[in-house]
Each structure stands twice: as structure tokens, then as C-alpha cells.
Amino acid sequence: MVFATPINNVGAAITMFVNVFVFTMLRTSVCNAQAVPALYMLGDSLVDVGNNNYLPLSVAKANFPHNGVDFPNRKFTGRFSNGENAADFIAKKLGLRTSPPYLSLTDGTTPPITGVSFASGSSGILNETGQPYIQYISLAQQVDYFSLVRDKLVQQLGPSVAQVHLSKSIFPIVIASNDLITYFTVGSLVSRKYTPQRYIDLLLSNYKGLLKTLYALGAQKMVVTGAPTIGCCPSLRKSSRTGECNAEANFWSKKYNDGLKVMLQELKSESLGLNYAYFDIYSAMINLFLSPETYGFTNIKEACCGLGYLNADVPCIPTSTFCLNRRNHFFWDLYHPTEVAASMFIDIMYNGTQPYMFPINLKQLADI
């Protein structure tokens, strides 16, 4: 290394040497110890690992039984699942611990170097999507929280090392289900305000703006999950006497995904250094539902936990009943997959090929 100004003072030279050594060691440890140094999770209840536990007014919580019945020590953690959820399985694939909820970090706490989760149950791309649940962290607010974490990283590591750290970190974003479910729920007010196509255009426009902000803050490796077959959730199936999927909701979910793929390609062309892996969970679900027994499922219509028709008239609460064999049920509750279903999808996300993963999968993204 060449210094611009000669150093005549021995003490100053030693100080300079120590600073350079520490910087180099930090950079080496961040870059080489692990291909993916951190996982910054954004999204909704599909990947919430407990943020909503810290929102006193939120009615979108899972910090009670029977949630967590298959989690270690049967612990209910705030995950909308019988056990672990997609966030846990993504972390395992990358050799990381599950990122802790952002709201669990007390004021002044230095965020863990291995990442933070900002995901919040009931949140959506639009700020108003979660309003029926009173308190939640919208995607825009999640991005704002990440900005605060980024600032602390810069203070902790210095600008250059922090930039390298973030450029190698993975940013999974699992969002849009609540936006679409809100539109297609019976009596929806938002459906009176927008046509389906206008609503999808609004979602994609807002989403692109938030992804651009994330990129500007240093996120260069994003995993973006499309909308699932929301019409096949027990909450929407129950409007059919035979428990069939809501075809209209699924049609527009697919239209949203078509637009999302175009938007991501545009974003990459506009953003130097950005790489992404798109997971077409919609197609993966359709494939599974066509032959559920192949994957070990004997029940793809009913929620495992709940009450009433398809166990979908009452959510999963302590007074609900729940199935004894969670491995043969696809849905845990009105909206969310069981632990085994979530694990299968993350296997696809990590190793899958087209049409489920485009243009690369999570493993290839991590290796870049």
C-alpha cells in the first residue's frame, strides 16, 4: 500500500499500520469466511419470525398455540406455522442462523453481522394493505428499518467493508400475497376503487420503487418470490361448495407474476451489479396440486388448524382443533403452508431450474 504523505513519526506509522491491518482482516473475514455473510429478510407472514410479537396492537400474531407444535420444545415463536417457516429454511441452505426480528433488538443494540429480519405478518407492498390488522410493518417501513441497520453497519465496519458485506449478502423478499388477498376477499373496498389490472400495475410500480431504494442502499443480491396461488388458500377455497380454488384470484395472481418478471428484468438492466433469483411459487404450487400424493400430501384443501368448513371459518387459535399428521397437510392454517411444504419450496428455490427459478437459483446467486 502506498501512502500519499510520508510518515515521519514512528507512533503515527504504527497507528496507521494497525488501522490498515484491522481493515484488511475485517474485510477478509467478511468476504472469505463465508460466501454469504448475512441474510436480510423482508416480507409478510410467510417469513415473519416474530416481529409482530413486538407490536402491541397487532391482531396478526402467532405467538400462541397451536402454532409451533412441531417447533423445538413445542415453542410458539410468532411464526405462522406448525414449526419452522421459509425464513428458517433459507438460512439453513446458506449456512446461517435465522436472522432475528428487527423489533427484538433493543435501542442501541448493534445488529448481528449475520443479518436481520424485517418481515411482518399482514404487510404488503402498499402501505394500507395491512390496515385491518391495525399494526404491522409495511414493506416501505421495512426498507426504512434496513436503512437504519445499514447506517450501523457503516459505523461498525467502515464504509468500504460495509459495502462489500452488503454486496455479498442475500435479500429475500416475500410479499404481495396480502395485497392480492385483500383485493379478492368478499366485500373488498379496494376492488371498488381499482380494476384488477390497474391494481396490479399499482403494486408493481410501488414495488419497483422500493427495490430501487434497497439497491441504492447496497442490496445487490435479491431473491424475489412471486405471488402464490392465493385462490387455493382455504380462506378463498371455502367460498366454493366443493372447496375448489378461486379461479379469478389465481388468474390475477399469475398476471401479477407475469408483470413482476418483466419488472425485474427492467430493474436489472437499469441497475449495474444487481443480480436476482425469481421464484415462481405459483407454478410450483400448481404442479404440486396436480399430483399431491407424489409429494406425500393427502390433503391440499383443508387447513390443518382451525374450525368450520375446510377448517377455515375460524383461524388457528388455542381453541381450534389441529390435525394429528401435519406432514400430509399442505396448509397449516387459512393462509400458510405447513413446515414440510415450506421446506419443499425452499429446496426448489435453492436448487431449482426454469420454469420455477429464473434466471438463476438461490445457490447460483450465493456463488456470484
Side-chain angles (χ1 to χ4, degrees):
M1 178 173 288
V2 177
F3 299 106
T5 304
I7 300 176
N8 298 318
N9 182 283
V10 174
I14 292 173
T15 300
M16 178 67 77
F17 172 79
V18 169
N19 287 340
V20 172
F21 177 77
V22 169
F23 174 86
T24 303
M25 291 302 294
L26 271 172
R27 181 173 59 186
T28 301
S29 64
V30 168
C31 295
N32 298 332
Q34 192 166 27
V36 178
L39 190 60
Y40 295 96
M41 180 70 64
L42 299 96
D44 54 29
S45 55
L46 291 168
V47 285
D48 186 353
V49 292
N51 269 309
N52 281 21
N53 294 350
Y54 299 89
L55 299 174
L57 300 181
S58 174
V59 295
K61 291 185 178 181
N63 58 342
F64 49 78
H66 303 291
N67 297 296
V69 66
D70 296 309
F71 201 81
N73 300 318
R74 298 174 69 91
K75 185 178 181 181
F76 41 89
T77 60
R79 290 165 173 80
F80 295 79
S81 172
N82 58 299
E84 294 181 309
N85 68 16
D88 300 298
F89 296 119
I90 291 173
K92 287 179 180 180
K93 290 292 187 186
L94 298 174
L96 295 167
R97 293 183 178 181
T98 300
S99 301
Y102 174 77
L103 295 183
S104 70
L105 306 177
T106 56
D107 290 343
T109 300
T110 300
I113 198 70
T114 52
V116 180
S117 171
F118 308 95
S120 171
S122 80
S123 68
I125 294 170
L126 302 183
N127 290 341
E128 59 269 27
T129 288
Q131 285 179 350
Y133 297 93
I134 304 175
Q135 201 173 15
Y136 53 95
I137 312 172
S138 68
L139 185 58
Q141 182 63 65
Q142 291 178 39
V143 173
D144 287 344
Y145 282 152
F146 168 67
S147 178
L148 298 177
V149 168
R150 176 190 175 277
D151 290 345
K152 289 189 175 182
L153 273 172
V154 170
Q155 294 172 14
Q156 180 184 1
L157 302 177
S160 298
V161 178
Q163 182 180 7
V164 172
H165 169 85
L166 291 175
S167 71
K168 291 184 174 293
S169 297
I170 299 288
F171 291 76
I173 308 134
V174 181
I175 204 74
S177 292
N178 291 321
D179 299 283
L180 293 164
I181 288 172
T182 296
Y183 190 93
F184 290 102
T185 298
V186 175
S188 166
L189 296 178
V190 72
S191 64
R192 300 177 189 175
K193 189 175 180 181
Y194 303 101
T195 64
Q197 188 61 59
R198 275 195 63 203
Y199 187 65
I200 285 171
D201 291 343
L202 177 66
L203 292 179
L204 293 171
S205 174
N206 278 263
Y207 198 5
K208 185 176 183 180
L210 292 169
L211 293 181
K212 288 176 73 172
T213 301
L214 263 182
Y215 169 76
L217 291 169
Q220 293 189 26
K221 294 185 179 184
M222 301 182 189
V223 183
V224 179
T225 300
T229 57
I230 63 163
C232 295
C233 294
S235 60
L236 272 71
R237 280 183 185 265
K238 71 177 186 177
S239 61
S240 164
R241 290 183 179 180
T242 56
E244 298 307 311
C245 299
N246 183 312
E248 184 184 16
N250 280 350
F251 175 83
W252 288 105
S253 294
K254 189 175 185 306
K255 291 284 284 185
Y256 165 84
N257 289 339
D258 292 342
L260 177 58
K261 284 184 277 190
V262 173
M263 182 268 277
L264 289 171
Q265 290 172 307
E266 290 175 350
L267 184 65
K268 179 173 172 56
S269 69
E270 299 165 3
S271 309
L272 182 65
L274 174 66
N275 289 287
Y276 72 90
Y278 168 74
F279 178 32
D280 186 356
I281 190 172
Y282 182 99
S283 294
M285 289 178 73
I286 289 294
N287 179 64
L288 186 151
F289 291 156
L290 287 174
S291 182
E293 295 84 3
T294 304
Y295 302 94
F297 295 105
T298 59
N299 194 321
I300 59 171
K301 293 184 178 182
E302 292 181 335
C304 172
C305 183
L307 287 171
Y309 179 50
L310 299 181
N311 269 348
D313 291 331
V314 175
C316 184
I317 56 177
T319 55
S320 301
T321 59
F322 66 95
C323 61
L324 296 179
N325 185 354
R326 274 79 67 187
R327 296 191 65 83
N328 65 14
H329 272 66
F330 181 85
F331 288 103
W332 165 242
D333 59 16
L334 283 77
Y335 304 107
H336 307 95
T338 52
E339 178 183 62
V340 66
S343 176
M344 286 183 182
F345 285 138
I346 300 310
D347 285 343
I348 297 172
M349 178 187 286
Y350 188 72
N351 286 310
T353 56
Q354 294 190 39
Y356 305 123
M357 295 303 301
F358 177 84
I360 56 176
N361 57 37
L362 174 56
K363 184 179 186 301
Q364 292 167 326
L365 182 69
D367 290 339
I368 292 177

